[in-house]
């Protein structure tokens, strides 16, 4: 079954590599219908991207941006069967990213599918270890029956590169409209608890990694914990 696919990318001061990301998305083996970029004002935007096929750019003020709300607003403007959320610094490894992610939806109980993140060449050893732990080489499909074994990792899903069935997304209620972080796992947890499954597609790869300082990693982990405390309906009683 052929499904339409739209891509959602929040962007802020994207660099020259952003144009390369758009080119790669426009040359996928499964065509992308539209690339919806939500650009937070405050920096220049690559002119080449504006001329790229299928690209639609929406501009918002910095104070309007929200990790959940901004993505949710863009998804609700789409009528595609599948919406693919990406970040501006995730780079497809090859032209089969979309094909491999959307194949997961051949299972009717799969509501979300996320890609493997492989580290960039300049990545630190600690970050390489983290990527290897969170993104192993084997596929898996996760559901409520896996919570005893996987704990909170059952809900793991990353909007660095994750695809969602739009009908399921609307049924579950979409991303939180106000959240500092972790909108992907909050939604994924609600989706799993509603009886749907999350597919991890190891062959769908994007290059994405960070070299965070100790303070930056602490701040990120702190925000993650806050988001879990704010949503006991998802995380309470699920071991970390």
């Amino acid at each position: 079954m052929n499904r339409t696919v739209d891509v959602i990318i929040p962007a802020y001061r994207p660099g020259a590599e952003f144009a390369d990301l758009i080119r790669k998305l426009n040359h996928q083996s499964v065509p992308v219908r539209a690339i919806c970029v939500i650009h937070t004002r405050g920096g220049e935007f690559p002119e080449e991207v504006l001329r790229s096929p299928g690209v639609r750019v929406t501009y918002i003020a910095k104070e309007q941006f929200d990790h959940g709300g901004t993505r949710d607003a863009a998804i609700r403007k789409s009528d595609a069967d599948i919406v693919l959320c990406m970040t501006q610094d995730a780079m497809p490894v090859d032209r089969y990213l979309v094909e491999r992610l959307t194949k997961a939806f051949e299972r009717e109980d799969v509501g979300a599918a996320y890609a493997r993140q492989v580290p960039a060449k300049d990545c630190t050893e600690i970050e390489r270890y983290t990527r290897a732990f969170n993104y192993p080489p084997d596929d898996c499909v996760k559901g409520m029956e896996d919570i005893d074994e996987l704990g909170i990792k059952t809900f793991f899903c990353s909007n660095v590169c994750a695809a969602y069935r739009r009908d399921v997304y609307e049924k579950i209620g979409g991303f939180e409209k106000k959240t500092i972080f972790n909108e992907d796992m909050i939604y994924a947890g609600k989706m799993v608890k509603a009886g749907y499954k999350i597919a991890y597609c190891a062959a769908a790869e994007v290059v994405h990694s960070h070299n965070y300082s100790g303070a930056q990693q602490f701040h990120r982990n702190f925000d993650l914990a806050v988001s879990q405390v704010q949503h006991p309906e998802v995380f309470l009683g699920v071991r970390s």
Side-chain angles (χ1 to χ4, degrees), residues 29-218:
S29 59
V30 168
V32 168
R33 187 182 67 170
I35 302 172
C36 309
V37 180
I38 310 97
H39 183 237
T40 301
R41 296 183 186 275
E44 294 183 1
F45 196 82
E47 291 295 322
E48 182 181 348
V49 170
L50 296 174
R51 298 190 295 270
S52 300
V55 171
R56 302 198 301 259
V57 182
T58 302
Y59 296 92
I60 62 173
K62 192 171 183 179
E63 58 270 18
Q64 289 178 283
F65 177 79
D66 181 86
H67 281 280
T70 298
R71 289 177 169 90
D72 180 75
I75 290 172
R76 292 186 186 279
K77 290 179 181 178
S78 167
D79 62 355
D81 300 312
I82 295 170
V83 286
L84 172 58
C85 288
M86 294 189 69
T87 54
Q88 67 185 51
D89 57 349
M91 190 66 66
V93 167
D94 56 34
R95 62 189 297 267
Y96 302 104
L97 173 69
V98 176
E99 178 181 336
R100 288 165 178 161
L101 281 174
T102 55
K103 186 175 176 59
F105 297 103
E106 290 177 0
R107 282 186 57 156
E108 289 299 317
D109 58 349
V110 169
Y114 66 102
R116 185 183 189 186
Q117 296 180 32
V118 296
K121 292 180 180 179
D122 65 348
C123 187
T124 63
E125 286 303 313
I126 291 176
E127 182 75 353
R128 288 183 186 280
Y129 175 80
T130 302
R131 286 290 175 272
F133 179 78
N134 286 329
Y135 304 97
D138 299 317
D139 292 350
C140 71
V141 177
K142 304 175 292 183
M144 277 296 291
E145 66 276 11
D146 299 301
I147 285 183
D148 286 346
E149 179 184 353
L150 298 178
I152 204 166
K153 295 292 281 185
T154 307
F155 304 152
F156 186 75
C157 183
S158 174
N159 272 344
V160 165
C161 186
Y164 300 91
R165 271 182 52 191
R166 191 176 54 80
D167 58 343
V168 174
Y169 182 88
E170 292 177 350
K171 180 179 178 181
I172 301 302
F175 297 134
E176 290 295 308
K177 310 305 181 286
K178 282 299 278 188
T179 178
I180 57 171
F181 189 50
N182 209 29
E183 78 291 337
D184 36 23
M185 278 187 69
I186 295 167
Y187 169 78
K190 291 179 178 179
M191 190 188 71
V192 167
K193 289 190 172 185
Y196 293 97
K197 297 186 184 300
I198 303 168
Y200 167 59
C201 306
E205 295 183 327
V206 292
V207 176
H208 179 264
S209 57
H210 295 288
N211 290 326
Y212 288 132
S213 67
Q216 287 173 317
Q217 189 64 58
F218 175 84

